Amino acid sequence: MNSVFNFFSPKDKVFQPMFEQASNNLVLIAKTLVLAVNTPEQEKRKTHIKEIERLEEVGDGFKHAIILGLGKTFITPFDREDIHALASSLDDIIDYIYASAMNMDLYNLKTVTKPMIELAELLLEMCKDINTAVAELKDLTNTKLIAEICIKINKGESTADYICNTALGKLFDKQANAIELIKQKEVLQTMEIASDKCDDVANVLETILIKNA
């Protein structure tokens, strides 16, 4: 029981604030991806992609600050390996959202398909759930909510798999232009990997619950 009261206690002024800022940034980059895929004009889409690039750099800053904090903090709110895993897995989602946006830009993708929009919107929903769960880590008074969110994220990852695989099947069936096929395939698969990384965060959260609840 003591571990529950000590977990992310008010004395923790290092990690919890940074995790919350990192997860807030995660929601922002996911929202910007949704804006990008819903912008048909390529030049206007570039503005959103530029913002995604900026937010990815912000995310890197949070990850490095958390890792640096591990080296400077003697007593941590929970296991060091879990702090490192949570920081890294949050940053992984951002990296793949960024890669998805860069693929659209570098490949000069002219048409954003419905499955891409569906995946982006699903990623946003998953990132919002992660943000809620991370905020709850400050005192672990609502472990049920965190556990429910982890299950929801796992289901979201399965949905993303289905959307991606279905879209790829239709793409290979109907897309005669091999270059366009490769472009769309890369974007779809990178977005799907981002959903896998959301599931990785859920796995880390579940580990923290098991160790500290």
Side-chain angles (χ1 to χ4, degrees):
M1 184 63 71
N2 287 336
S3 63
V4 174
F5 292 116
N6 290 332
F7 183 80
F8 276 146
S9 67
K11 294 179 181 178
D12 173 33
K13 297 179 181 179
V14 177
F15 298 103
Q16 179 66 14
M18 285 194 289
F19 276 130
E20 290 186 11
Q21 291 176 70
S23 63
N24 286 336
N25 187 62
L26 177 63
V27 173
L28 287 176
I29 199 170
K31 283 182 178 179
T32 311
L33 180 65
V34 170
L35 289 174
V37 297
N38 281 286
T39 302
E41 300 89 349
Q42 284 180 278
E43 285 307 309
K44 290 183 179 179
R45 193 189 306 151
K46 285 179 182 290
T47 301
H48 298 307
I49 292 173
K50 191 70 178 175
E51 176 64 4
I52 288 172
E53 184 175 7
R54 184 188 74 81
L55 291 170
E56 190 270 339
E57 292 175 358
V58 172
D60 280 344
F62 287 129
K63 177 186 175 182
H64 294 318
I66 292 169
I67 302 305
L68 189 62
L70 281 174
K72 294 182 175 181
T73 307
F74 181 68
I75 299 175
T76 58
F78 60 104
D79 287 353
R80 290 175 179 272
E81 61 264 29
D82 294 331
I83 291 175
H84 190 284
L86 184 56
S88 297
S89 57
L90 287 170
D91 189 59
D92 285 344
I93 302 170
I94 289 178
D95 285 345
Y96 278 95
I97 288 176
Y98 168 70
S100 301
M102 291 308 296
N103 282 347
M104 285 190 286
D105 190 40
L106 294 173
Y107 295 158
N108 195 28
L109 193 71
K110 293 181 172 59
T111 302
V112 177
T113 63
K114 184 180 176 182
M116 292 177 193
I117 295 173
E118 290 175 346
L119 284 171
E121 290 174 345
L122 179 58
L123 280 170
L124 175 56
E125 184 179 345
M126 295 169 82
C127 290
K128 286 180 177 179
D129 285 335
I130 287 171
N131 192 36
T132 299
V134 167
E136 290 296 329
L137 288 176
K138 63 182 176 292
D139 51 23
L140 267 190
T141 56
N142 200 346
T143 57
K144 182 180 179 182
L145 175 60
I146 298 173
E148 288 173 349
I149 286 173
C150 290
I151 293 171
K152 185 180 177 185
I153 291 171
N154 181 261
K155 290 180 180 178
E157 190 272 333
S158 296
T159 301
D161 280 347
Y162 176 79
I163 293 171
C164 181
N165 291 335
T166 302
L168 290 176
K170 291 180 179 179
L171 193 61
F172 279 96
D173 234 9
K174 299 179 180 180
Q175 180 56 256
N177 187 321
I179 294 176
E180 186 64 21
L181 186 151
I182 292 170
K183 290 179 181 181
Q184 293 191 26
K185 175 177 173 289
E186 286 295 316
V187 173
L188 286 165
Q189 289 184 326
T190 307
M191 292 172 77
E192 192 279 323
I193 293 173
S195 76
D196 291 341
K197 299 305 176 181
C198 289
D199 197 40
D200 288 347
V201 170
N203 291 336
V204 175
L205 291 171
E206 286 176 336
T207 299
I208 293 171
L209 287 184
I210 291 169
K211 290 182 179 180
N212 297 275

